Amino acid sequence: METWETPNWEQLAPGGWWRVVHHPAVYAMIRPIEPLLPNNSGYNYSNMVKLCAESGRDCFTISQIHIVGEVLAMTAESSWDEEESCYWLRLRDEGNFGQQWLRQDGESLGLGVFLEASCFYPETPPALPPGIPGHDVREAHRKALSEVRCVRSAFNQLRDGEATGEAWREVPRLSIADAMLGQCAESRPAEAQRVVGGPAIAHLLREGYVAVHDALNEDLASEFVVQMAKLDNGWNLHAAPQATPGQRGDRLLWIDENIAVGRYGSEAVAKAIGLLKGLASELNPDLTAHHWSKNAAGDAAHAVLTVSPKAQLACYPGDGARYICHQDNRFRPSHGTRLNSRELTAILYGNPADWDAHRDGGALKLYPQTEDFESPPLPDHPSVCFSPKAGTLVIFFSSLWHEVLPAYRPRRALTMWILRPEEEESWMPTVF
Ligand SMILES: O=C(O)CCC(=O)C(=O)O
Ligand SMILES: [Fe+2]
C-alpha cells in the first residue's frame, strides 16, 4: 500500500476525486489567488500567513488553503511547461468553478504529499527534465516535507488554542487509497429515471432545457422547503466568492449527502442531492449520442458525465438580490475549448408552493439558443421563465445565458453541475 510518505514519484496518481486527509493542506501556485479559507473552518487566514512569515520563510506565499474533509478533483493529466521548466498537475476544486494547476516540483509538492500539504520551498527548485522526475526532485520533496511538518504543527496549535510548545506530533501514515473517492457519479437510477426518463431528455436535447415540476413528491418537497430554510436560517450559508452588490446577491453552502445528514440532520436535502447526482448517469447515454451526432469526427464517444461531490445550496435573501445574466460555461472559439467542464446545470428549487413570481420575483430567466452569444442577450430576447417552487427541477445546458430576477422573498435552490471533464480547456496555468 502506498502512503503519502513514500509516494511513487514516477507515477502520476489516478485521476478522480480526492479527499484532503490532513490539515491544513496549503499549496502555493505561481500566481497567488484569492485565499479560499472556508468559513467556520476554525482557521484564520491572516494568522496563518503571519505564522509562515514568523517561521522565517519569507518567500512563503499561501495561495490556497484546503482543510480536512474537503474534496478536490485531480485529473491524471500533467503538462510540461517549457518556460517554467516544470510539470503542472491539473486539479479542480469541490465546486468545480474552474481548474487549478499544481506545480509538480520542489516548490509545490506532487500528488500524495499534496494530500498532506505542500508549500513553497525556500530554495530555487531544481529544474525538472522532461520525463521522469529525478533524484534532485525527490530530495527537494523530502526537505520541503520536513518544513511542512513544522508549519503544520504550528497550525495545529493555533487551531487548538494550544500553547504547549510541542513542536511536532507524529503524523499518521495514510494510504492514498483512503483519500481516493472514486471517479464517477454515484448512481441512483430509479429516482433519476422517473424524473428525467423519456420525453424530458428529448426536450432537453431539442430545446436546451427542461423543467420537471414534480421532481420531488409532495411530502418530500415540503420537507425540503422546511429543511432548506432551517439550514439557511442557521447562518450556515456565506456570501458567494464572486459576490458583487447588484450583480450576484446569493449566499452559499457546498454540501453533500453526508454533511446534510451528519452535520445538519437534513434527510430531505440529502435525498435531493442524491437525485441530482443520479441525473448524470441517467442522462449519459443520450448526451453521448447527442454529441456524437453533432460531431461525427470527434471524440464524443468518450463523453462521460459526472458530478461534483457537492451541490451548491444558494439563498437570495429577498431584498431584491439577483444574479445578472451570465453563462455557467462558455465555448471559446479562439481556444477551441470550453472554459470549464460544466455541461448541464441542474437546479432543484426549495421555496413554498405559494411562491408567486409576479409578487415575489426570483424567477429563473433562461435564453434558449444563446450558447454562442458573446455578450448577454437583450432583455426582450426570446426567453423562458421558471418559478422557483418547491420540487421543480430545471436542467439546462450550462453555456446558455440565464439570470435570476430580483427576489423579494428568501429564495432557495440546490444546484448540481453535471460535468464533462474531457471538454475542459486543456492548458491554462492561471486559475478560475
Ligand atoms: O438559482 C437559479 O435559478 C440559478 C442560479 C445560477 O444561475 C447560478 O448559481 O449560476
Ligand atoms: Fe448560473
Side-chain angles (χ1 to χ4, degrees), residues 80-88 103-105 125-129:
W80 174 250
D81 183 344
E82 201 61 59
E83 217 170 284
E84 293 286 329
S85 293
C86 74
Y87 281 102
W88 293 84
R103 200 181 157 114
Q104 190 188 27
D105 60 12
L128 277 179

Side-chain angles (χ1 to χ4, degrees), residues 13-21 67-74 92-94 115 175-186 256-259 277 306-310:
W17 297 106
W18 293 76
R19 194 190 295 283
V20 177
V21 285
I67 59 163
V68 157
E70 202 174 340
V71 174
L72 303 165
M74 182 74 67
R92 285 188 289 275
D93 69 0
E94 57 179 355
L115 295 170
S175 132
I176 284 182
D178 286 342
M180 175 103 192
L181 297 180
Q183 295 182 295
C184 284
E186 272 185 72
D256 65 18
E257 296 99 314
N258 291 337
I259 298 174
K277 286 188 173 176
T306 179
V307 287
S308 161
K310 287 186 186 167

Side-chain angles (χ1 to χ4, degrees), residues 4-217:
W4 68 270
E5 282 181 291
T6 54
N8 178 353
W9 300 113
E10 277 85 11
Q11 208 177 14
L12 281 179
W17 297 106
W18 293 76
R19 194 190 295 283
V20 177
V21 285
H22 264 294
H23 56 80
V26 179
Y27 65 87
M29 300 201 306
I30 197 143
R31 293 183 209 182
I33 58 167
E34 183 81 356
L36 255 187
L37 191 59
N39 285 296
N40 64 32
S41 63
Y43 294 106
N44 175 315
Y45 179 77
S46 50
N47 276 345
M48 293 173 108
V49 173
K50 203 162 133 251
L51 257 175
C52 284
E54 283 170 1
S55 68
R57 297 169 187 87
D58 289 344
C59 60
F60 257 92
T61 309
I62 300 182
S63 302
Q64 179 78 271
I65 298 171
H66 292 288
I67 59 163
V68 157
E70 202 174 340
V71 174
L72 303 165
M74 182 74 67
T75 67
E77 186 187 338
S78 72
S79 192
W80 174 250
D81 183 344
E82 201 61 59
E83 217 170 284
E84 293 286 329
S85 293
C86 74
Y87 281 102
W88 293 84
L89 295 174
R90 193 156 72 117
L91 62 132
R92 285 188 289 275
D93 69 0
E94 57 179 355
N96 230 77
F97 276 124
Q99 59 192 338
Q100 302 164 4
W101 289 87
L102 177 68
R103 200 181 157 114
Q104 190 188 27
D105 60 12
E107 285 190 351
S108 298
L109 301 181
L111 202 71
V113 170
F114 162 73
L115 295 170
E116 163 59 4
S118 76
C119 64
F120 251 69
Y121 183 60
E123 289 159 25
T124 314
L128 277 179
I132 292 168
H135 174 78
D136 292 352
V137 178
R138 293 184 206 190
E139 186 55 20
H141 276 285
R142 198 188 58 72
K143 279 190 187 166
L145 183 54
S146 71
E147 303 234 333
V148 165
R149 287 172 166 164
C150 298
V151 174
R152 190 191 51 237
S153 80
F155 283 153
N156 286 344
Q157 285 173 21
L158 182 77
R159 187 200 52 154
D160 301 339
E162 293 169 4
T164 59
E166 184 196 340
W168 160 244
R169 268 186 235 160
E170 195 56 40
V171 177
R173 286 182 164 262
L174 292 169
S175 132
I176 284 182
D178 286 342
M180 175 103 192
L181 297 180
Q183 295 182 295
C184 284
E186 272 185 72
S187 154
R188 283 165 187 71
E191 256 324 86
Q193 198 176 32
R194 179 185 70 77
V195 173
V196 293
I201 297 186
H203 191 282
L204 172 66
L205 296 182
R206 196 177 61 244
E207 309 293 337
Y209 67 89
V210 67
V212 181
H213 295 290
D214 56 352
L216 303 179
N217 69 44

Side-chain angles (χ1 to χ4, degrees), residues 216-227 268 271 390:
L216 303 179
N217 69 44
E218 228 170 273
D219 290 347
L220 183 53
S222 45
E223 192 50 29
F224 182 56
V225 172
V226 170
Q227 293 186 4
K271 282 188 187 154

Side-chain angles (χ1 to χ4, degrees), residues 323 326-328 345 396 402 417:
Y323 195 160
H326 66 281
Q327 296 166 291
D328 292 349
T345 304
F396 58 91
H402 59 281
W417 280 279

